[in-house]
Amino acid sequence: LNWTTLELPADEVHQLGLAEVGRIRAQMLEIMRQVGFEGELAEFFTYVRNNPENYYPNTEAGRAEYIREATALIEGIYDIADDYFNVLPKAPLEVRRVEPWREAGSSTAFYNRPSPDGSRPGIYYINQQNMNAVQKHIMNSLAYHEGAPGHHFQLAIQQELQGLPQFRLYGSYSAYSEGWALYSERLAFEAGLYEGMPMRDFGRLSEEMKRAVRLVVDSGMHAMQWPLEKSIAYMTDNTPMAPADIQRQIERYYVWPGQALSYKVGMQKILELRQQAKEALGEKFDIRRFHDVVLKNGAMPLQILDEVMRQDIEAVKGE
């Protein structure tokens, strides 16, 4: 409950994870066949991990090219944002390299919110210490998750809201914020931003698969007594992640029960609420208003988001 902000039994989380892993695997297989790879999905994972074309050169030129492309991806979101959002953040967003002095202790990518006084923009950071650890095929999803319309839209809009108590402008719930960021990856796909890029779409699915696998292994370890080895094997079988990264991920879930569940649970709840709104409102459904309801009330537990969305559906019906 602390991480998901929903009343979800462990076996229900586990079954959701198994179902999502199965669904995403089927879509991965479709892309594998689309690009003409012959073999098993596990072999395709190995190919993706080892394909040199999936990495920028481990040089200053390679690092600069990554930043340029990531910036272009962010700009592409802003080009279509008015079709999906009524309100955009006032604060700008920049893509930057993690400073060399803190690369060793930083994750692959992360977001820093803008300063409230406007003196610092929102910043999408990329760790470029070793470009052989930064795969091209996931860079779209990283940009949409950590940058726009993911964490930047949610966090910058939240602290720019008027009429809320100060603590509401900066508070957070992992299932809400990480759920929105993962939903943003899907939204970019739905907006057509992956068209003609099957391997980037495979990367999107890989990132979603990582979050789906978390549902299985987190509940497996903490409710079903799975040993670490079983969790590592399950993640290896279902993602193209590097072995060392899998090891780190599983160890993180082992000592931090429930946190890893928040991403996919939050995304699924937002998608569920969107589908409910579509069915209830029919032609009155407006994706921009839906996103307003999610973003313009600040961070909240998913149970409260459910209630707020139901109230808005009734309000639209009455208009």
Side-chain angles (χ1 to χ4, degrees):
L1 180 61
N2 178 58
W3 288 111
T4 67
T5 63
L6 293 172
E7 298 282 355
L8 288 175
D11 59 342
E12 187 174 329
V13 171
H14 196 78
Q15 291 304 315
L16 172 62
L18 292 173
E20 284 295 288
V21 167
R23 178 186 64 81
I24 297 167
R25 278 186 70 94
Q27 293 183 2
M28 285 178 156
L29 282 167
E30 288 180 12
I31 292 178
M32 185 185 82
R33 298 186 184 104
Q34 181 183 343
V35 300
F37 186 90
E38 297 182 0
E40 301 296 325
L41 190 56
E43 296 171 313
F44 190 54
F45 288 165
T46 300
Y47 165 76
V48 169
R49 292 186 193 108
N50 298 333
N51 181 7
E53 295 182 359
N54 194 24
Y55 301 89
Y56 284 105
N58 194 30
T59 62
E60 291 309 303
R63 292 179 176 89
E65 181 59 28
Y66 189 106
I67 296 294
R68 281 193 292 271
E69 184 171 348
T71 300
L73 292 172
I74 297 295
E75 291 172 348
I77 286 291
Y78 278 93
D79 287 342
I80 65 166
D82 288 345
D83 293 334
Y84 295 90
F85 298 92
N86 287 318
V87 176
L88 300 178
K90 297 183 180 70
L93 172 63
E94 294 182 9
V95 183
R96 296 183 188 176
R97 175 185 177 178
V98 174
E99 301 86 351
W101 60 266
R102 60 170 177 159
E103 284 175 333
S106 295
S107 58
T108 301
F110 56 93
Y111 172 77
N112 273 8
R113 71 174 73 200
S115 59
D117 64 3
S119 61
R120 186 187 66 246
I123 303 169
Y124 163 39
Y125 277 108
I126 296 290
N127 191 333
Q128 298 186 320
Q129 182 180 37
N130 177 8
M131 294 302 289
N132 295 320
V134 185
Q135 298 183 4
K136 281 184 183 179
H137 82 291
I138 67 169
M139 70 178 300
N140 297 55
S141 292
L142 281 178
Y144 302 142
H145 183 112
E146 302 293 346
H151 287 318
H152 181 62
F153 277 27
Q154 187 256 304
L155 290 166
I157 287 173
Q158 177 176 314
Q159 70 181 36
E160 293 166 2
L161 293 173
Q162 301 295 315
L164 290 182
Q166 196 79 351
F167 78 93
R168 290 286 313 282
L169 302 181
Y170 308 105
S172 181
Y173 296 89
S174 184
Y176 171 87
S177 60
E178 295 298 350
W180 169 260
L182 189 55
Y183 167 82
S184 294
E185 299 180 37
R186 170 80 70 87
L187 183 64
F189 168 76
E190 294 171 344
L193 297 182
Y194 288 87
E195 287 184 10
M197 297 185 291
M199 287 309 301
R200 297 298 177 95
D201 193 27
F202 182 83
R204 175 187 69 84
L205 291 171
S206 299
E207 289 294 279
E208 188 177 0
M209 176 67 95
K210 176 170 69 176
R211 280 51 176 253
V213 165
R214 288 172 174 178
L215 302 181
V216 178
V217 298
D218 191 303
S219 57
M221 285 189 290
H222 296 293
M224 302 166 189
Q225 287 74 55
W226 279 23
L228 286 178
E229 294 76 15
K230 182 174 180 178
S231 297
I232 290 169
Y234 188 84
M235 196 163 218
T236 302
D237 289 344
N238 289 291
T239 77
M241 295 164 62
D245 194 14
I246 290 173
Q247 180 77 29
R248 286 193 298 269
Q249 290 278 330
I250 294 298
E251 289 174 354
R252 165 189 161 189
Y253 312 153
Y254 185 74
V255 299
W256 208 1
Q259 189 275 339
L261 304 179
S262 59
Y263 299 67
K264 197 71 170 71
V265 167
M267 176 197 191
Q268 291 298 113
K269 186 62 177 179
I270 293 171
L271 288 171
E272 172 193 318
L273 293 175
R274 190 178 73 176
Q275 186 59 33
Q276 289 176 3
K278 283 182 175 181
E279 293 174 358
L281 299 176
E283 293 182 356
K284 284 188 172 183
F285 176 79
D286 183 345
I287 189 68
R288 293 166 297 184
R289 177 161 179 157
F290 174 79
H291 291 150
D292 278 353
V293 177
V294 177
L295 295 176
K296 290 176 64 179
N297 292 288
M300 64 189 86
L302 296 181
Q303 290 176 325
I304 303 301
L305 178 61
D306 187 300
E307 182 177 335
V308 169
M309 192 63 67
R310 291 178 189 279
Q311 290 174 353
D312 190 71
I313 288 171
E314 293 305 313
V316 174
K317 284 181 176 180
E319 291 177 353

